[in-house]
């Protein structure tokens, strides 16, 4: 958080309150910024539970490989690449 001319400004990148196998869930800290800027790529999206998405993902990979195919996973961000 930065104090700019007496105004408390908080800027944060995208975060998640959901813990996964690579990152801890974001903590809720006790502070009161006057201005809060938050990146929110999927802030209003509703997703299936992680275990359902992971199973669907791995099922497609297993199916492709078992049929002699190859799998290439293009990813542009930490959470998508892991």
């Amino acid at each position: 958080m930065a104090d700019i001319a007496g105004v408390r400004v908080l800027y944060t990148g995208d975060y998640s309150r959901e813990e996964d196998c690579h990152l801890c869930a974001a903590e809720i800290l006790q502070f009161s910024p006057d201005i809060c800027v938050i990146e929110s790529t999927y802030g209003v999206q509703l997703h299936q539970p992680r275990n359902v998405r992971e199973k669907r993902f791995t099922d497609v990979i297993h199916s492709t490989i078992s049929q002699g195919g190859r799998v290439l996973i293009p990813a542009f961000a930490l959470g998508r690449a892991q």
Side-chain angles (χ1 to χ4, degrees):
M1 183 158 39
D3 188 302
I4 303 170
V7 177
R8 293 176 309 236
V9 180
L10 174 69
Y11 174 84
T12 180
D14 208 353
Y15 66 90
S16 176
R17 293 283 302 136
E18 182 179 333
E19 186 150 341
D20 66 26
C21 53
H22 299 91
L23 300 170
C24 297
E27 296 178 27
I28 298 176
L29 303 176
Q30 299 302 316
F31 56 86
S32 298
D34 298 306
I35 298 172
C36 187
V37 180
I38 303 172
E39 177 186 345
S40 57
T41 307
Y42 297 108
V44 296
Q45 301 295 318
L46 296 176
H47 298 284
Q48 291 180 318
R50 179 176 302 278
N51 62 331
V52 172
R53 290 179 282 144
E54 288 176 352
K55 177 151 182 18
R56 188 177 67 231
F57 178 71
T58 56
D59 285 350
V60 169
I61 292 172
H62 288 293
S63 174
T64 302
I65 291 172
S66 69
Q67 295 175 44
R70 296 182 182 178
V71 177
L72 175 64
I73 304 169
F76 63 91
L78 175 67
R80 291 165 189 79
Q82 305 219 354

